[in-house]
Amino acid sequence: IINQSAHNVYMYAFICGGIISLFLVILISLRCIWTSVSVLYNYYFQNKKIDELDLISILFIFVFLLRSVLEPSYGVYSIDFLFFIICFLIIESNYKLKKIIK
């Protein structure tokens, strides 16, 4: 459409899939932020134990989300997307597990 590459993942999602694709990418990003902040909140303010794998996954999630503002990192490149999904699944599964144990 614009004869140039998209400069962030949100623009890329909108150009390739329309408003529905943009909405889904925003929902995924918000869910990642919510889960990561919840895990960090439990760790810092409620003194719950956190795994090193969770911290590394949260770091990668924040790096990918910040990178997605400047380039379509996890939206285009398959290795970035693979790492993003793995980190998201680690955080999400541990979040749900610790929420049930509570």
Side-chain angles (χ1 to χ4, degrees), residues 48-100:
K48 292 188 178 178
K49 184 166 174 20
I50 190 168
D51 298 331
E52 290 81 16
L53 190 59
D54 283 343
L55 284 175
I56 292 170
S57 297
I58 289 170
L59 175 69
F60 276 124
I61 289 288
F62 283 136
V63 166
F64 284 128
L65 289 175
L66 287 174
R67 253 181 80 192
S68 70
V69 174
L70 300 176
E71 63 183 31
S73 62
Y74 69 87
V76 177
Y77 309 116
S78 61
I79 193 72
D80 286 353
F81 181 69
L82 181 66
F83 284 138
F84 181 80
I85 291 297
I86 289 170
C87 291
F88 176 71
L89 290 175
I90 289 170
I91 294 171
E92 189 73 24
S93 65
N94 289 340
Y95 172 73
K96 287 181 181 178
L97 180 69
K98 289 178 182 173
K99 194 174 183 181
I100 292 172

